[in-house]
Amino acid sequence: MNFDRLKEKLEILADAAKYDVSCSSSGSTRKNKKGALGDSSASGICHTYTEDGRCVSLLKILLTNHCIYDCAYCVSRSSNDIKRAAFTVEEVVDLTINFYRRNYIEGLFLSSGIFKNADTTMERLVRIAKKLRLEENFNGYIHLKSIPGASDDLMQEAALYADRLSVNIEIPTESGLKLLAPEKNRKDMISPMRYIQKGIVQYQDEKKILKKVPKFAPAGQSTQMIVGATNENDLQIIKVADHFYKNFNLKRVYYSGYVPVLEDQRLPSLTTEVPMLRENRLYQSDWLMRFYGFKAEEILDPNVPFLDLEVDPKLSWALRNLHQFPINLQTAEYQLILRIPGIGVKTAQKIVSARRFQILTMDHLKKLGAAVNRAKYFIDFNAGNAYLKYLTDKNFRKLLIGGSSSKFHNQFSQQLSLF
Amino acid sequence: MTTLLYDGSFDGLFTAVFEVFEYRYKDVEIASRERFHQENIFAVIHEVITQPDKSERVLNKLEQNIGKEGVNKLLKVFLSEDPDLENLILSAVKQSVKHPEKNILENFADSDVLKISKICKSVDRERHRMTAFVRFEKMQDGVFFSKIDPDFNVLPLIRKHFYNRYQDQKWMIYDLRRNYGLLYDLATCDFFYPDEKIDINNYQQKFHDEEKSYQVLWQRYFTKTNIVERKNMKLHIQHVPKRYWKYLTEKW
Ligand code: SF4
């Protein structure tokens, strides 16, 4: 193997893949077979973090950054004058295995520019996954990015060897996509997703009856949307995400704040800041939908279709729904306790378990890990709570922001621990 | 006041716990011989001789009351090397004997239980970080070697993880601070305790020929996958605290 050439390719093709944020390795269990390599556990492991604070769990690369298309937001687009490179199948396999053996990564996340047509490209991606599984006996995580327009047969094969598949819909609205990626169409992007979704449902049915069914995309599907490249609002984005969660059983929707790297009149100028706080708020909203039992319609007020940048979406919901508070810690249902600002899933569980032993006080709440500076205004204890008088105060919002906004201002990322 | 001195082993500790009940000691503390400095000159010393059958009886009883998971939590407290670990464990056992029908480890409003739960959280975090931050380096003899120096004694907690993961390569994880390690030789996966500290001078000269190349590839990957426009070192350091950097190939 020519090491210098390989290094150069890796630099180019990692650089080109870095804007894709859907890189988690969770949600799949692929037990190691005796004497083989690798084991995927459901929780996933971040082996390191980049200097921008994102987790590195997978070797995330493009197979090639040659592309016949010219999507405005993409560095690999054909009209962009950059160095091009392409890995061979063997090179990708070798890098994956050797990185995995050293415990650098959980597996591979492979995506690609479209170098000839959808099927030729997809076929190459599938070949890599197949070689890893069948020849190298590799049981680590494999995430393949499906190529829009790839045929059902190839998607079928991909799902047999990969843990997760994704098609990035990139631009949340159809009109936005038309503007920035005129050669792509939404139908081509969605049809492979539909195919995989059907396959997954069928797999789950068969598994109920038969013991041994080959795994079919066990970690499901995910997608990614670029935020801020076109002028959609947050309500639209959340609605699209909700639609995918509900109708495609998507495991994750990722939001990627647009990083202006290309000059194009259709795009925000190069001096535009990356909308990181907005991106963070979208992730927080997404969490509310997936773990806190919030409905998409509850998160945003249709009259104000953008997320509040000053307060997190749960607090924002609470401020719009003060009549739902205070919530009694000793008696309220778990689902309601989850809605108290400053109380996360773990703390809520602890509360429900500790209150069986004794009557809880503010002091306990602090010890159980709640962000009491926010939570204290929304809670009733059996022994009463002096802070409740502020709940009806006209300036309540101000009071709250005064106490908590600084923390949110310069530190934003999708991987912040939320709430 | 009676002080029970034990040999520092897990079985020794639970033998001591057994004897607290056996001799009905009321005002009592347990301390490991190695770490014991007599401060309370009025304390009566009771030397504990480790007896696995005694410790097993306590552990079995505990498992009935607080489940496997509960016993596992106490093991984590033991591995935390917390100065107060013996007495936290004793407190938990006492409470559990008093309320056998409840899982007393869920009574988070009790200060000892809360401390146990906090310690478990820290140990779990360290355990998780070790599964993430172990970096193997391939040696001339084909063994993938890794050195660690965790704040808590987590090697026993990561054995299964690495055993499941790497079955077709020989590997070794060595705890520099505690001077013992784990070795998988394609057949068994066991702890080893060298008589002398493993010498890691000239260590790089014993690398396999291809090792340096893959390290460089990984370092280049790490650099290139960063988005400069989003650089946020504060967040970076929050995720990868500096004390771990010495493990990490990408932080060369
Ligand atoms: S098809 Fe994909 S790789 Fe090609 S320009 Fe569009 S987004 Fe980029």
Side-chain angles (χ1 to χ4, degrees):
Chain A
M1 198 161 301
N2 179 342
F3 171 70
D4 286 326
R5 180 68 190 128
L6 184 61
K7 188 173 86 176
E8 193 185 357
K9 285 187 191 179
L10 180 62
E11 288 177 351
I12 295 170
L13 295 168
D15 192 80
K18 70 187 177 188
Y19 299 101
D20 202 308
V21 289
S22 47
C23 68
S24 88
S25 61
S26 53
S28 181
T29 32
R30 194 175 281 277
K31 284 262 147 11
N32 195 358
K33 300 177 205 96
K34 194 112 204 84
L37 177 67
D39 187 79
S40 314
S41 60
S43 57
I45 295 176
C46 308
H47 285 276
T48 189
Y49 290 81
T50 54
E51 289 188 352
D52 58 47
R54 287 169 312 129
C55 132
V56 178
S57 155
L58 304 171
L59 170 63
K60 182 168 55 167
I61 46 176
L62 297 187
L63 174 64
T64 175
N65 64 342
H66 289 285
C67 192
I68 53 173
Y69 288 140
D70 201 34
C71 310
Y73 48 80
C74 174
V75 280
S76 303
R77 73 183 203 192
S78 57
S79 64
N80 198 18
D81 183 18
I82 48 163
K83 266 200 194 161
R84 307 274 169 177
F87 281 124
T88 64
V89 170
E90 288 72 25
E91 284 167 339
V92 176
V93 169
D94 181 77
L95 278 172
T96 308
I97 294 289
N98 274 290
F99 280 9
Y100 194 87
R101 287 195 183 288
R102 288 167 175 76
N103 205 39
Y104 299 160
I105 53 169
E106 289 295 285
L108 174 67
F109 173 59
L110 188 60
S111 163
S112 184
I114 299 165
F115 61 81
K116 198 162 152 208
N117 56 45
D119 272 359
T120 322
T121 312
M122 192 69 212
E123 191 269 334
R124 196 76 55 95
L125 299 183
V126 170
R127 215 188 312 152
I128 289 170
K130 193 168 173 176
K131 192 171 163 75
L132 278 167
R133 295 281 190 237
L134 301 184
E135 287 173 35
E136 303 288 332
N137 257 317
F138 176 70
N139 294 299
Y141 196 86
I142 300 178
H143 179 157
L144 293 184
K145 176 100 119 343
S146 337
I147 304 300
S151 65
D152 288 355
D153 289 352
L154 281 166
M155 292 308 294
Q156 169 77 23
E157 254 205 303
L160 289 179
Y161 301 111
D163 293 288
R164 176 170 285 182
L165 293 160
S166 63
V167 182
N168 289 355
I169 62 164
E170 308 288 16
I171 301 300
T173 59
E174 205 158 347
S175 57
L177 189 69
K178 225 179 220 119
L179 178 71
L180 297 184
E183 300 137 315
K184 276 187 180 168
N185 73 64
R186 212 170 162 90
K187 233 180 64 220
D188 274 355
M189 301 169 105
I190 290 183
S191 75
M193 278 199 210
R194 177 63 74 206
Y195 182 80
I196 295 298
Q197 188 240 349
K198 282 197 189 127
I200 291 174
V201 171
Q202 189 188 345
Y203 165 76
Q204 280 157 353
D205 287 346
E206 281 172 17
K207 225 179 120 195
K208 281 180 207 142
I209 313 165
L210 302 161
K211 261 221 176 86
K212 263 201 157 7
V213 190
K215 278 195 191 306
F216 192 90
Q221 309 192 69
S222 62
T223 193
Q224 156 175 320
M225 287 186 252
I226 298 173
V227 176
T230 43
N231 55 6
E232 66 287 324
N233 63 43
D234 293 332
L235 185 59
Q236 284 172 300
I237 295 176
I238 290 173
K239 279 276 168 68
V240 173
D242 186 50
H243 171 79
F244 279 111
Y245 283 130
K246 283 201 182 115
N247 300 306
F248 289 82
N249 309 91
L250 245 65
K251 278 283 168 16
R252 285 293 303 271
V253 174
Y254 293 88
Y255 310 88
S256 159
Y258 175 67
V259 181
V261 281
L262 299 162
E263 191 78 74
D264 190 305
Q265 328 151 2
R266 291 166 295 174
L267 289 168
S269 83
L270 283 178
T271 54
T272 315
E273 270 196 49
V274 184
M276 282 164 65
L277 188 50
R278 184 179 176 201
E279 175 191 293
N280 186 37
R281 290 283 180 252
L282 283 166
Y283 276 106
Q284 291 176 321
S285 308
D286 194 88
W287 274 66
L288 290 183
M289 294 197 281
R290 289 187 300 136
F291 302 116
Y292 287 75
F294 279 81
K295 295 203 179 74
E297 306 77 57
E298 290 180 290
I299 290 168
L300 272 171
D301 185 342
N303 299 318
V304 192
F306 282 95
L307 289 162
D308 194 331
L309 294 184
E310 265 180 351
V311 298
D312 70 66
K314 189 166 145 188
L315 186 53
S316 171
W317 173 84
L319 287 168
R320 275 181 279 122
N321 292 279
L322 289 177
H323 59 278
Q324 307 250 15
F325 296 96
I327 287 173
N328 187 312
L329 270 204
Q330 205 66 35
T331 54
E333 266 177 59
Y334 171 71
Q335 283 299 335
L336 279 178
I337 291 183
L338 274 183
R339 297 208 161 207
I340 303 170
I343 292 186
V345 172
K346 288 225 173 91
T347 306
Q349 286 164 353
K350 278 194 183 145
I351 288 169
V352 173
S353 133
R355 71 187 183 186
R356 287 185 286 126
F357 293 87
Q358 62 211 88
I359 309 257
L360 300 177
T361 64
M362 190 76 84
D363 215 34
H364 291 132
L365 191 64
K366 207 177 280 169
K367 287 193 189 143
L368 294 177
V372 175
N373 62 340
R374 258 171 299 155
K376 66 186 177 193
Y377 300 108
F378 298 95
I379 291 170
D380 207 357
F381 297 100
N382 277 6
N385 175 5
Y387 288 100
L388 285 181
K389 63 171 184 274
Y390 297 106
L391 200 55
T392 48
D393 193 307
K394 278 206 311 295
N395 292 321
F396 183 48
R397 181 187 160 94
K398 265 223 183 88
L399 177 85
L400 267 172
I401 295 175
S404 69
S405 71
S406 56
K407 185 172 142 213
F408 285 96
H409 262 90
N410 275 312
Q411 233 190 1
F412 20 63
S413 151
Q414 67 272 29
Q415 282 151 344
L416 264 189
S417 50
L418 305 167
F419 314 121
Chain B
M1 171 72 126
T2 309
T3 302
L4 276 71
L5 288 187
Y6 76 109
D7 61 4
S9 71
F10 191 65
D11 272 339
L13 173 57
F14 279 88
T15 308
V17 171
F18 183 90
E19 295 187 350
V20 169
F21 289 91
E22 189 180 14
Y23 297 105
R24 293 175 208 273
Y25 288 130
K26 284 277 142 7
D27 188 17
V28 64
E29 60 165 10
I30 302 176
S32 98
R33 233 163 258 147
E34 201 181 319
R35 282 195 301 170
F36 177 65
H37 310 283
Q38 190 157 17
E39 280 144 18
N40 183 350
I41 52 165
F42 299 108
V44 178
I45 304 287
H46 170 111
E47 295 272 352
V48 175
I49 297 160
T50 301
Q51 285 167 268
D53 53 321
K54 283 188 179 176
S55 86
E56 224 165 84
R57 275 170 66 186
V58 182
L59 289 167
N60 285 341
K61 181 80 200 151
L62 270 177
E63 200 176 311
Q64 281 169 24
N65 296 356
I66 58 174
K68 267 206 168 63
E69 210 186 311
V71 174
N72 208 270
K73 281 186 186 153
L74 298 186
L75 172 67
K76 283 177 197 159
V77 174
F78 177 75
L79 294 174
S80 74
E81 301 172 345
D82 187 281
D84 208 25
L85 74 96
E86 288 88 1
N87 299 307
L88 285 171
I89 289 176
L90 181 60
S91 158
V93 177
K94 278 183 174 167
Q95 291 188 48
S96 176
V97 169
K98 208 161 153 195
H99 302 285
E101 75 294 349
K102 289 186 191 168
N103 184 350
I104 53 95
L105 291 183
E106 280 173 8
N107 181 14
F108 299 107
D110 175 84
S111 66
D112 283 346
V113 170
L114 192 66
K115 189 150 182 225
I116 287 175
S117 134
K118 286 213 169 114
I119 289 177
C120 285
K121 209 171 147 193
S122 311
V123 172
D124 272 332
R125 188 153 80 170
E126 190 81 345
R127 183 198 64 79
H128 184 79
R129 280 178 166 157
M130 281 307 117
T131 61
F133 295 159
V134 156
R135 294 284 179 268
F136 289 113
E137 297 177 303
K138 191 173 180 182
M139 310 306 281
Q140 277 158 10
D141 57 4
V143 174
F144 285 79
F145 181 77
S146 167
K147 39 195 190 340
I148 62 172
D149 174 22
D151 274 5
F152 309 114
N153 183 12
V154 293
L155 203 50
L157 300 175
I158 59 176
R159 176 182 170 275
K160 197 164 173 275
H161 172 85
F162 285 103
Y163 176 66
N164 287 342
R165 179 162 297 215
Y166 297 111
Q167 296 234 326
D168 73 340
Q169 69 190 39
K170 293 184 186 172
W171 54 266
M172 192 191 277
I173 303 173
Y174 183 65
D175 185 329
L176 291 169
R177 190 182 308 187
R178 296 167 190 84
N179 194 30
Y180 80 115
L182 250 179
L183 170 68
Y184 173 72
D185 62 3
L186 298 182
T188 56
C189 181
D190 284 318
F191 296 103
F192 66 93
Y193 305 85
D195 299 331
E196 288 167 50
K197 267 198 177 1
I198 291 190
D199 178 21
I200 49 169
N201 288 326
N202 304 326
Y203 159 72
Q204 302 210 353
Q205 289 167 18
K206 293 172 207 150
F207 277 170
H208 191 278
D209 293 344
E210 63 186 30
E211 178 55 29
K212 244 348 307 138
S213 306
Y214 285 107
Q215 293 194 4
V216 170
L217 288 171
W218 175 239
Q219 287 155 357
R220 296 312 301 154
Y221 174 74
F222 179 74
T223 309
K224 282 296 175 182
T225 196
N226 177 42
I227 299 177
V228 184
E229 293 87 343
R230 301 178 58 136
K231 183 164 171 162
N232 184 345
M233 284 309 274
K234 201 175 149 202
L235 190 64
H236 174 69
I237 289 168
Q238 185 184 315
H239 287 308
V240 194
K242 284 198 171 149
R243 67 189 180 87
Y244 295 104
W245 289 18
K246 59 177 181 278
Y247 301 127
L248 300 172
T249 312
E250 61 272 23
K251 292 285 184 190
W252 76 103

